[in-house]
Amino acid sequence: MMLGAPEKMGSNNAAGAARRAWHPWVLMAGFLLVAIGWPLVGRDYQVYLSLSFFSYSIALLGLNLLFNYTGLISFGHALFIGIGGYTAAFMTHKYSLLNMELIILIAVFLSGLVALLIGLICVRYIKIYFAMLTLAFGMLFHSFLMKTYSLTGGDEGMHVMQPKLLGFDLSHMDKMSFFSGPYYYYNLVFFALASYLMWRIVHSHFGLCIQAIRDNPDKAEYLGISIRRYRLYAFVISGCFTGLGGALMAPVTGHMDPAMVFWTHSGDMVFMTLLGGFSNFFGPMLGSLVFIFLRDTVSSFTEYWRFIFGALLAALVILAPGGLMELLSRGWAAVGGLRSKEQGS
């Protein structure tokens, strides 16, 4: 009996670990099934809003790689949304290149290149200094877009034409049918692939290294990890993901202007991350979903929606610092506790 107890305890621990391991992916699989059927039951406008969710979720995967896993907060990440979006605008509006796959490849490449150049300077610093530097570079890009009117359209921005998907010209479809049909599923595929890729990154050797740097830079350096090099890698990967989100977002908005790279847009991205819970892999995705649909609802009643959102964030930080994912975890734990009591009685 004494020998059996540890074995039973070990098997219970293993089963618990297994449950913890597959629960997120069961939830993700369930979400994807709902997402596949969403255009069939949702209204066209709601499906259209979902496209913003996909774009922001991919961008927030990149932002949270810095925030949660590397311990660096960026206040200028809308810069990469702008690079992705303006790449789509340039290629479709200026040069009539409508191939979406080509747009994405160039947008990701340019975002990574700019992230590399900026990162060489930014990753030398941490905490508020890193945050302020990213904010400064974001505002520099905003000024560049505003001042180079002949190139970027200045404050009027640039139109983004409807792209071809996988070589198919779908311009005969009306816009709402295009966005709620082919482009919706196109975004869903990129969302699923980007989520899987980021999951593999943060659970790889590289992911463990940046988490070690976040937790204790001195010990990580003692173990032979090059802190600046790994932070630079994380910054470049983060820029690529955010640029991809910007490229996918551009055809949805149909127009790119400097407001997309203004610091308030970067603030919105940080807000979404905090709202969902930055310490959970899926938290920023939940935050973007709630933010987009709640903003649409609240802004239809009042123009002071930022005031309401500020109060919401303040309450959330005080009551549940882990964001909405923490509230869901508490609810799940409470349900589990009630079940245990019922089984015990």
Side-chain angles (χ1 to χ4, degrees):
M1 290 294 290
M2 291 300 290
L3 291 174
E7 290 176 1
K8 185 178 180 181
M9 187 180 297
S11 62
N12 288 339
N13 290 338
R19 282 196 297 272
R20 286 192 295 273
W22 60 258
H23 267 153
W25 289 109
V26 169
L27 291 173
M28 190 64 178
F31 171 80
L32 290 177
L33 286 175
V34 172
I36 290 171
W38 178 234
L40 304 176
V41 297
R43 290 183 296 173
D44 285 348
Y45 179 66
Q46 294 172 330
V47 177
Y48 176 78
L49 278 182
S50 304
L51 292 172
S52 296
F53 158 71
F54 291 137
S55 303
Y56 275 117
S57 292
I58 294 171
L60 294 180
L61 283 172
L63 178 63
N64 209 34
L65 179 69
L66 282 180
F67 192 7
N68 181 33
Y69 295 97
T70 317
L72 300 171
I73 176 65
S74 170
F75 286 159
H77 238 53
L79 163 68
F80 301 108
I81 290 266
I83 291 173
Y86 269 94
T87 301
F90 265 105
M91 292 183 67
T92 60
H93 183 70
K94 292 272 187 181
Y95 303 108
S96 300
L97 294 172
L98 303 178
N99 188 304
M100 192 63 199
E101 293 74 42
L102 182 62
I103 291 171
I104 287 172
L105 278 176
I106 295 177
V108 171
F109 172 76
L110 289 177
S111 299
L113 181 62
V114 172
L116 175 64
L117 297 175
I118 294 175
L120 286 171
I121 301 172
C122 293
V123 299
R124 294 170 180 267
Y125 305 91
I126 57 173
K127 298 181 181 177
I128 191 64
Y129 308 104
F130 176 85
M132 290 296 106
L133 270 175
T134 54
L135 174 62
F137 279 110
M139 292 310 294
L140 276 175
F141 187 58
H142 176 267
S143 298
F144 169 78
L145 295 174
M146 290 287 285
K147 299 298 181 184
T148 53
Y149 188 90
S150 59
L151 185 66
T152 64
D155 58 345
E156 293 181 4
M158 297 177 67
H159 179 61
V160 183
M161 296 173 65
Q162 181 175 306
K164 294 179 182 177
L165 305 181
L166 301 173
F168 291 100
D169 184 2
L170 303 172
S171 57
H172 61 279
M173 299 178 71
D174 64 87
K175 281 194 173 181
M176 195 54 79
S177 299
F178 172 75
F179 285 127
S180 60
Y183 198 66
Y184 174 88
Y185 289 107
Y186 191 82
N187 275 251
L188 179 59
V189 169
F190 272 98
F191 167 76
L193 291 176
S195 301
Y196 177 72
L197 180 59
M198 183 56 78
W199 178 271
R200 294 300 302 266
I201 288 173
V202 299
H203 290 86
S204 66
H205 174 76
F206 168 76
L208 294 176
C209 285
I210 58 174
Q211 290 172 64
I213 293 172
R214 174 201 62 191
D215 294 337
N216 197 323
D218 294 333
K219 280 189 177 178
E221 192 169 26
Y222 180 76
L223 292 172
I225 300 173
S226 174
I227 294 177
R228 284 187 186 175
R229 187 153 55 91
Y230 274 83
R231 281 177 177 159
L232 181 61
Y233 291 161
F235 195 77
V236 172
I237 294 170
S238 176
C240 290
F241 271 76
T242 312
L244 171 61
L248 292 171
M249 187 185 299
V252 180
T253 60
H255 186 263
M256 287 299 296
D257 60 65
M260 293 296 288
V261 303
F262 200 57
W263 68 269
T264 53
H265 195 203
S266 297
D268 287 343
M269 293 172 67
V270 174
F271 184 97
M272 292 180 204
T273 307
L274 292 173
L275 179 65
F278 70 93
S279 59
N280 187 292
F281 181 82
F282 298 99
M285 301 180 194
L286 178 62
S288 68
L289 182 68
V290 173
F291 180 90
I292 290 165
F293 282 89
L294 191 61
R295 180 182 61 180
D296 182 69
T297 304
V298 175
S299 61
S300 64
F301 293 107
T302 175
E303 60 180 306
Y304 303 109
W305 62 272
R306 287 188 183 277
F307 176 80
I308 296 173
F309 272 49
L312 174 65
L313 183 61
L316 198 65
V317 168
I318 294 170
L319 299 174
L324 295 175
M325 289 302 294
E326 181 180 333
L327 292 179
L328 288 177
S329 298
R330 288 182 190 175
W332 181 265
V335 171
L338 287 174
R339 285 179 180 172
S340 299
K341 284 183 180 178
E342 289 175 358
Q343 289 173 355
S345 63

